Amino acid sequence: MLTLKLSLQTKLFAAFFLLSAIITMAISYTLFLHMRTNHLDTLKRDLIVMANMAAMHVGGNAPQELTGQVPEETADKRLWQLLQSIGKNSPDIARVFLLRSLTDNVLVVRSEWDARNESGRQAGTIYNDQDVAFGDANRPLVTDNNENGTVTVYTPVKANERTVAWLALEVDAAAVANDTRHFAERVLIFALGAIALVGVCSWFLARNFAARIRNLDIAIDQIAAGKHDIDLKVEGSDEVSLLAARINSLATALHGERESLMMSTIESLVTALEAKDVYTYGHSSHVASIAEAIGRELGLSEDELLTLRITALLHDIGKIGIPDHILNKPGRLEEWEWAIIKQHPETGAKIIAGIPALKEVAESVRHHHARWDGDGYPEALSRNTIPLGARIIAVADTYQAMVSDRPYRAGMAEAVVLNEIRRCAGKQFDPLVVAAFEKSIDGVS
């Protein structure tokens, strides 16, 4: 069975869009019905006004024809002309006709003008188009014929202050349908525009919400990987924002605990190392201060400076595995002894690698004796393939070692050491690191 996999953004967009589109269509349909009803009401009111004026016109111009005081043929002609003039004044009028009531309340056509064939029905034709009951002889009557869509207004025609006939104006289905279609087109355009706007808004809402969820997911992955310097953007006070704030708090707490645990571990390791080699007591701390000054001169961030300081403190931790008689030998080392000493970067990296958060530190410790020209150890790395932390530690370690007293020699003058480091720039050391060291040495020497 084929399963369609959709992203969270697509699902949110579909949900927002469908819900908004349904609401928009419902509102549009309600608006259409309201506009149509208002239009029909307005049409009926206009027809009543027209019918009243037409009835006054007929009653005032043909009182004798309506009361039978002239020959029927002459009356019929005169009445038809009046109805024709009324009908042609409005293009929406389909029929204009006069009705009179027989003694048994049967309505018959007195005269009629029809826009479709002009002649209309013959006088005396029984009127049975609609079941009309004139309850009040002095008030107009409006009827809707749902079968053919017509609207008809009946209004009394008076002669000698009595109702002698009823004048009817009829608007046909085509006119009503045309107006309805006009309203429908307007509402449809409004609905389509609203749906398009809803679609755009839904897309932006879905993208924003999905991005916020994605950021939370990334932050959780970073915390799981040991990266705790997280600062999620908190927008508003909804559930996602509250969750982002909680993750920020959790990351801060874990970061503090990690740093505390890490520094405690580092202090323990450095203390154990310095207990083995009394001549290098304080060496790691001094190297850390010099390295940090170089890092600041190079524009490293606070997090990078912290990593660099930890690297400097631990750079010689591998010496903890070197036998004391070799580590503290007052004279020059034999070749085989020197080979054991050269193992300390690899040994230190293995010790540190057991702490997942110090993976970057372990790499810099492993290569802090690498040379810019590739002749260092334990691997023949050169130039920028050497980690930056290792390149910085190489300069700081060399300077601190040369100015300090050792079992086999006294410390050298700072000026001599500086000249030696300058001479080795581009060979043993990274020239940029040496330049940064020269600018920063006054503050830490």
Side-chain angles (χ1 to χ4, degrees):
M1 181 178 179
L2 181 63
T3 301
L4 184 61
K5 294 183 179 180
L6 301 175
S7 66
L8 175 62
Q9 180 173 333
T10 302
K11 292 177 181 178
L12 290 172
F13 169 73
F16 291 152
F17 178 73
L18 288 176
L19 178 61
S20 302
I22 290 172
I23 294 174
T24 300
M25 292 303 296
I27 293 174
S28 299
Y29 182 69
T30 302
L31 178 64
F32 167 72
L33 293 179
H34 179 71
M35 292 175 65
R36 183 176 181 274
T37 300
N38 282 348
H39 171 67
L40 289 176
D41 290 342
T42 301
L43 176 63
K44 291 175 183 179
R45 287 193 296 269
D46 292 344
L47 280 176
I48 290 173
V49 172
M50 291 174 60
N52 285 335
M53 294 178 64
M56 293 174 61
H57 177 68
V58 172
N61 287 279
Q64 295 180 344
E65 288 82 351
L66 291 169
T67 56
Q69 298 179 25
V70 297
E72 186 172 346
E73 183 177 349
T74 303
D76 288 345
K77 184 176 180 181
R78 175 58 177 162
L79 291 173
W80 186 86
Q81 289 174 343
L82 290 172
L83 298 183
Q84 182 188 44
S85 65
I86 294 170
K88 288 189 174 182
N89 279 333
S90 175
D92 291 334
I93 300 297
R95 287 195 301 175
V96 184
F97 54 92
L98 284 168
L99 299 177
R100 62 187 179 88
S101 179
L102 299 179
T103 54
D104 51 359
N105 292 326
V106 175
L107 294 174
V108 296
V109 176
R110 178 66 183 85
S111 183
E112 180 179 271
W113 175 85
D114 192 322
R116 289 158 291 194
N117 56 28
E118 292 215 349
S119 60
R121 287 171 287 192
Q122 295 293 324
T125 303
I126 295 176
Y127 181 73
N128 54 11
D129 290 6
Q130 301 182 70
D131 185 13
V132 181
F134 302 115
D136 188 344
N138 295 311
R139 298 185 62 184
L141 175 67
V142 182
T143 62
D144 294 325
N145 190 332
N146 294 326
E147 292 182 2
N148 57 24
T150 59
V151 177
T152 309
V153 176
Y154 304 87
T155 189
V157 180
K158 295 182 179 296
N160 300 324
E161 298 185 355
R162 66 185 183 88
T163 300
V164 294
W166 288 83
L167 176 71
L169 298 183
E170 182 178 282
V171 177
D172 66 4
V176 176
N178 183 59
D179 289 338
T180 302
R181 183 169 56 255
H182 175 66
F183 286 125
E185 290 173 353
R186 290 171 57 188
V187 171
L188 180 61
I189 293 173
F190 165 79
L192 292 176
I195 290 175
L197 180 61
V198 162
V200 173
C201 293
S202 297
W203 184 80
F204 277 105
L205 285 173
R207 188 182 70 165
N208 177 265
F209 193 81
R212 294 171 68 190
I213 296 295
R214 194 179 305 113
N215 289 337
L216 296 181
D217 182 59
I218 293 172
I220 292 172
D221 286 343
Q222 290 176 334
I223 291 175
K227 182 177 174 58
H228 300 147
D229 53 337
I230 294 170
D231 185 19
L232 291 173
K233 187 176 182 180
V234 179
E235 301 173 337
S237 58
D238 58 19
E239 287 75 4
V240 177
S241 296
L242 294 177
L243 182 57
R246 293 289 298 275
I247 290 177
N248 284 340
S249 300
L250 175 62
T252 301
L254 291 175
H255 184 68
E257 292 179 5
R258 186 191 70 170
E259 285 193 0
S260 177
L261 178 61
M262 186 184 304
M263 294 309 297
S264 297
T265 303
I266 292 169
E267 289 172 3
S268 298
L269 291 171
V270 172
T271 300
L273 173 63
E274 292 179 343
K276 285 177 64 68
D277 186 359
V278 295
Y279 290 99
T280 59
Y281 182 80
H283 168 73
S284 296
S285 297
H286 293 154
V287 171
S289 297
I290 297 170
E292 187 174 358
I294 296 173
R296 289 191 184 279
E297 192 65 39
L298 290 172
L300 300 187
S301 67
E302 290 300 321
D303 285 343
E304 290 171 329
L305 289 173
L306 175 61
T307 300
L308 179 61
R309 183 171 184 81
I310 293 171
T311 303
L313 288 172
L314 294 175
H315 75 282
D316 276 341
I317 197 64
K319 290 181 179 180
I320 202 169
I322 298 176
D324 291 348
H325 68 276
I326 297 176
L327 189 63
N328 295 315
K329 185 176 180 179
R332 289 189 176 277
L333 298 174
E334 300 292 338
E335 186 175 345
W336 66 271
E337 292 172 327
W338 179 240
I340 293 175
I341 290 288
K342 289 171 68 175
Q343 293 175 5
H344 82 273
E346 191 70 41
T347 302
K350 289 178 180 179
I351 294 172
I352 298 171
I355 306 174
L358 298 182
K359 182 178 179 181
E360 185 179 348
V361 171
E363 284 302 301
S364 292
V365 168
R366 176 179 284 110
H367 299 295
H368 76 276
H369 279 295
R371 289 172 55 104
W372 185 252
D373 57 13
D375 288 338
Y377 61 90
E379 298 176 18
L381 298 185
S382 64
R383 295 181 172 271
N384 291 328
T385 60
I386 306 170
L388 177 60
R391 284 178 268 153
I392 295 173
I393 299 300
V395 174
D397 184 33
T398 299
Y399 172 81
Q400 211 285 327
M402 293 178 71
V403 298
S404 302
D405 293 332
R406 290 299 171 96
Y408 49 86
R409 63 158 176 80
M412 302 169 65
E414 289 186 10
V416 174
V417 175
L418 287 173
N419 286 332
E420 181 64 16
I421 290 177
R422 290 191 193 102
R423 185 183 69 81
C424 293
K427 297 177 182 179
Q428 183 178 350
F429 305 120
D430 180 347
L432 292 179
V433 173
V434 172
F437 166 71
E438 290 191 73
K439 291 180 180 178
S440 63
I441 190 61
D442 291 338
V444 294
S445 59

